Amino acid sequence: MKQPADSQDWNHAGSHDQDVPSIPAETRGGVGWWKRTWHFIIVPQHSNALVAVFSALLFISTAVYAIFAALQWSEMQKATHASQRSALAAKDSGDLARKQMEGIVAAIVDIPHGVSIDFPVPPFGEARANLVNSGHVLAHDIHLTLSVTLQRTSEDSAARGRTILSKAETVPAIPPTAVTSSPDFIYPFELSPSEFLQVMNTESYIIAEGLLDYENGFDTRIKQPFCYAYIWGGQTFGRWTGDCGRAQLQVRLAKKLAKQ
């Protein structure tokens, strides 16, 4: 009896499939590659080599990172230094501009005529001073200290003077002279009749000294010490007023002219 054609084809196909070798389950999906890799690694010689390779890679990566970090730190330092230089340059420029402005418009307080010493009704005298701001802005917190001393003309170092007047003044603000003028400070004092005669005969002279201290409108405090000497002599010499450092020279001159 003859078999059907489709039955023959099925047997033929079945016998064909039996000739193809089957694929192991562990190699499907690439699992075999991992197994082969593992078997390669667990061999002692191979594992030592891999350790050496990874150590070398770790060293290289560490070195590369260190170089990168050093370069980055260097750039950061450069940027920091550049910022500092820019800040210093800006500060210097601002300070220079401020100093230039201060030099042009700052308050300048002075005692333009010094301290005047007179005897309106001898032996009663008075010390007179006037503060003037010749700058362009307000002067603030002005302090004036004044001491008037009667000093013997003897060059003996043991000779001491007598303080006949001591004053301290504080003025909150003084505007520029172009705006207004400040009133005079007038301080009366008294000498004994004998002391007054000593002054007129050049046996004694008067010293007015002190300190002028003020803020010039730019948060800068200005301190100006002063010392004036007042010497009376005969008709030939007259009266001399000037710096205390020249007092003894003028005293000798007054006495010399008085003997002529």
Side-chain angles (χ1 to χ4, degrees):
M1 183 175 181
K2 188 176 180 182
Q3 296 179 350
D6 53 353
S7 176
Q8 292 178 358
D9 294 337
W10 182 86
N11 289 336
H12 183 267
S15 62
H16 178 72
D17 291 340
Q18 292 176 358
D19 295 337
V20 178
S22 60
I23 300 174
E26 64 271 15
T27 62
R28 295 173 185 174
V31 177
W33 182 86
W34 288 103
K35 186 174 182 180
R36 289 194 300 273
T37 303
W38 173 251
H39 284 296
F40 179 84
I41 292 174
I42 62 177
V43 177
Q45 294 82 352
H46 296 168
S47 61
N48 293 337
L50 288 173
V51 169
V53 170
F54 282 116
S55 298
L57 292 175
L58 179 62
F59 173 79
I60 293 172
S61 62
T62 302
V64 170
Y65 175 78
I67 294 173
F68 174 77
L71 292 175
Q72 188 178 32
W73 180 84
S74 177
E75 292 301 321
M76 291 176 62
Q77 287 291 103
K78 290 179 181 179
T80 301
H81 292 160
S83 300
Q84 291 176 345
R85 287 194 296 269
S86 298
L88 289 175
K91 182 179 181 300
D92 292 342
S93 178
D95 291 343
L96 178 60
R98 182 181 180 278
K99 289 180 179 179
Q100 291 175 341
M101 182 63 68
E102 183 176 354
I104 296 173
V105 303
I108 303 174
V109 179
D110 197 5
I111 309 174
H113 306 295
V115 179
S116 175
I117 300 291
D118 293 297
F119 292 93
V121 182
F124 298 95
E126 67 178 21
R128 184 187 296 262
N130 178 255
L131 302 181
V132 173
N133 178 7
S134 60
H136 296 81
V137 297
L138 276 173
H140 301 278
D141 194 23
I142 302 95
H143 299 282
L144 173 66
T145 59
L146 174 64
S147 176
V148 179
T149 305
L150 181 66
Q151 181 69 46
R152 296 287 292 181
T153 58
S154 172
E155 296 184 4
D156 183 3
S157 59
R160 295 182 179 181
R162 181 176 76 85
T163 300
I164 56 179
L165 175 66
S166 182
K167 290 291 181 178
E169 295 284 352
T170 298
V171 182
I174 297 179
T177 305
V179 177
T180 183
S181 297
S182 301
D184 289 354
F185 294 114
I186 302 175
Y187 307 115
F189 62 88
E190 180 181 357
L191 299 180
S192 67
S194 62
E195 288 175 334
F196 177 74
L197 288 177
Q198 290 172 3
V199 170
M200 295 297 106
N201 294 329
T202 325
E203 295 176 1
S204 295
Y205 65 101
I206 294 175
I207 293 176
E209 60 184 335
L211 176 68
L212 177 61
D213 178 12
Y214 65 95
E215 190 266 305
N216 69 349
F218 287 83
D219 296 327
T220 301
R221 295 216 59 91
I222 307 298
K223 297 180 183 293
Q224 297 178 183
F226 59 86
C227 185
Y228 304 104
Y230 309 85
I231 301 171
W232 282 261
Q235 292 183 350
T236 305
F237 179 81
R239 173 181 168 175
W240 179 86
T241 301
D243 183 79
C244 291
R246 300 172 56 194
Q248 288 298 326
L249 177 62
Q250 296 299 321
V251 165
R252 288 193 292 268
L253 178 60
K255 289 183 176 182
K256 180 179 179 180
L257 292 176
K259 294 177 181 180
Q260 294 179 355

